[in-house]
Amino acid sequence: MTAGSNPFGIGETTVGGVVDQSVAAIVTADKQGGVVNYKSQLQELLQARGQPPPVYCLVKASGPDHDRRFIVEVRAGNTALGRGSGKSKKQAETRAAHSALEHFLS
């Protein structure tokens, strides 16, 4: 994924702007402390745009067993959408989905 790239045209004109509005609502809810399931929201967004579902790929696992760190990349087809890291694979996947959603708004 290159900086400034917009692989799925998010932010461009959509039917009624519904998809873009829902992405904006997700980010707004997050900034206001709301509970957001980023993985589900990303999947719904991609589905609404007719894109392949997200796939989460483990890029790296490091550290001792008691203090592991995971880096995960989320992809749709051959396109990398975002990366995230965390102390569990689940946390890293959630952060990758969040990164992808934020990228769509830029």
Side-chain angles (χ1 to χ4, degrees), residues 6 21 24 26 29 47 50 53 60-61 69 71 85-86:
N6 194 350
Q21 290 172 6
I26 293 165
Q47 183 178 13
K60 183 178 180 181
R69 297 294 298 175
I71 299 174
S85 65

Side-chain angles (χ1 to χ4, degrees), residues 34-106:
V35 176
V36 178
N37 184 332
Y38 297 110
K39 290 176 67 175
S40 292
Q41 294 298 323
L42 179 60
Q43 182 166 341
E44 289 174 17
L45 175 66
L46 293 174
Q47 183 178 13
R49 302 211 31 102
Q51 301 299 327
V55 175
Y56 296 86
C57 305
L58 180 63
V59 173
K60 183 178 180 181
S62 61
D65 288 343
H66 68 278
D67 191 24
R68 300 289 281 174
R69 297 294 298 175
F70 299 92
I71 299 174
V72 170
E73 181 175 77
V74 60
R75 304 179 70 81
N78 293 326
T79 305
L81 303 176
R83 276 192 177 201
S85 65
K87 290 191 172 225
S88 69
K89 289 179 188 175
K90 181 178 179 179
Q91 184 181 50
E93 289 173 357
T94 298
R95 288 180 174 171
H98 184 224
S99 172
L101 289 167
E102 284 188 332
H103 174 75
F104 287 148
L105 282 179
S106 61

